Amino acid sequence: AQSVAQPEDQVNVAEGNPLTVKCTYSVSGNPYLFWYVQYPNRGLQFLLKYITGDNLVKGSYGFEAEFNKSQTSFHLKKPSALVSDSALYFCAVLHYNQGGKLIFGQGTELSVKP
Amino acid sequence: DAGVTQSPTHLIKTRGQQVTLRCSPKSGHDTVSWYQQALGQGPQFIFQYYEEEERQRGNFPDRFSGHQFPNYSSELNVNALLLGDSALYLCASSLMSALPSYEQYFGPGTRLTVT
C-alpha cells in the first residue's frame, strides 16, 4: 500500500536559517511525490512535484525538494526561511493506479521566528 | 482565470441532517476529487469524479455520495450527519489526461460543523 510519513509534527526555525521538512514514502512502483502548503483556514497550495528526472526539484516561493530513492525520502528544503513561510506543510504520494488519488502525510507545522 | 471555487464557506448542521457541498473546478480541468480534512490531520480521499462517474472511492461509508455535472462541477452529499463528520471538506480539480504528472488544484474548502 502507498503511504507517506512526516516524522515531525512541528519544525521551528529562525528567520534567515535554512529549513528542512522531512518526508518518507512507501510505494509499489514509481513514486509520484508532491508537497503542498496550507495557511490557516485556507485550502492547499501546490509547491512542487517529483515525477521523474532530476532528484532536486525546484518549486514555488524558493522551495526545493530532494528525491532520494535509496532512502525513500522526499525532504522539502529552503536555503533561507521567511516568517511568512510559517504554515502547515503536507507531503503526498499519487496513487497512480487508482486514477490519481493523493495520499497525504499527517502534516508538519513550520514556525519561523524573527 | 478562476481557480477552484467551493460553496458555502462555512456550514453548521445538526446530527441526522443532510448537507450538500459544491465545487467548480479550475478552467480546463475535467476531474474533481473530494477530500475530508479533520482537525490536525492530513486530507483523506473521499472519491473522484471523471466523465460524470465516480471513478474511485476512499474508505468512506455510503452516506457520502457525489455527482459531477456536464460542466465538470461537482457536489458532495452527506446524509445522516454524525458529529465525526465535522471537518474541512476540500475539492481538488485536475486534468485526467495529464496523469501522472499533473498536480491537483485545491479550493479553499468548506468548513462543516455538526452539532
Side-chain angles (χ1 to χ4, degrees):
Chain A
Q2 321 275 65
S3 66
V4 167
Q6 295 180 244
E8 301 158 317
D9 291 335
Q10 185 163 14
V11 170
N12 297 307
V13 178
E15 187 175 31
N17 283 359
L19 70 86
T20 299
V21 182
K22 296 180 180 178
C23 172
T24 59
Y25 65 88
S26 175
V27 304
S28 54
N30 294 323
Y32 303 110
L33 300 162
F34 299 78
W35 276 101
Y36 284 85
V37 60
Q38 186 175 38
Y39 296 98
N41 300 314
R42 300 283 295 276
L44 276 68
Q45 295 180 30
F46 168 77
L47 281 178
L48 51 79
K49 63 185 177 185
Y50 173 82
I51 304 299
T52 187
D54 291 340
N55 290 341
L56 186 62
V57 179
K58 294 189 181 297
S60 305
Y61 313 120
F63 283 93
E64 58 189 27
E66 185 173 7
F67 171 70
N68 188 317
K69 187 173 183 178
S70 62
Q71 297 185 6
T72 61
S73 67
F74 189 55
H75 300 332
L76 181 70
K77 300 182 179 184
K78 188 174 183 181
S80 178
L82 301 172
V83 172
S84 58
D85 292 330
S86 298
L88 192 54
Y89 290 80
F90 290 98
C91 182
V93 61
L94 181 70
H95 197 164
Y96 180 35
N97 288 339
Q98 291 194 8
K101 161 185 171 180
L102 281 173
I103 299 169
F104 286 88
Q106 287 292 95
T108 297
E109 185 174 355
L110 174 66
S111 178
V112 182
K113 301 295 185 184
Chain B
D1 176 24
V4 180
T5 59
Q6 292 186 244
S7 63
T9 305
H10 296 89
L11 206 52
I12 299 175
K13 290 287 188 178
T14 304
R15 277 177 297 176
Q17 287 188 317
Q18 179 265 343
V19 68
T20 297
L21 311 181
R22 295 176 176 82
C23 171
S24 291
K26 180 179 170 64
S27 177
H29 285 182
D30 57 11
T31 303
V32 173
S33 303
W34 287 92
Y35 294 82
Q36 180 196 66
Q37 186 180 16
L39 197 62
Q41 297 185 19
Q44 299 290 317
F45 177 80
I46 303 175
F47 42 53
Q48 184 179 77
Y49 277 85
Y50 172 64
E51 294 185 329
E52 302 179 46
E53 293 185 359
E54 183 183 293
R55 292 294 172 144
Q56 55 176 316
R57 188 179 184 90
N59 189 25
F60 280 80
D62 292 343
R63 299 187 296 110
F64 289 76
S65 63
H67 189 77
Q68 185 180 35
F69 299 95
N71 67 353
Y72 307 117
S73 67
S74 177
E75 289 182 348
L76 163 65
N77 301 293
V78 187
N79 294 322
L81 284 167
L82 303 174
L83 295 179
D85 294 332
S86 295
L88 181 67
Y89 287 85
L90 296 165
C91 168
S93 77
S94 52
L95 185 63
M96 185 62 76
S97 63
L99 269 176
S101 62
Y102 72 53
E103 55 268 25
Q104 295 188 12
Y105 289 81
F106 283 80
T110 294
R111 174 72 64 185
L112 173 64
T113 302
V114 182
T115 61

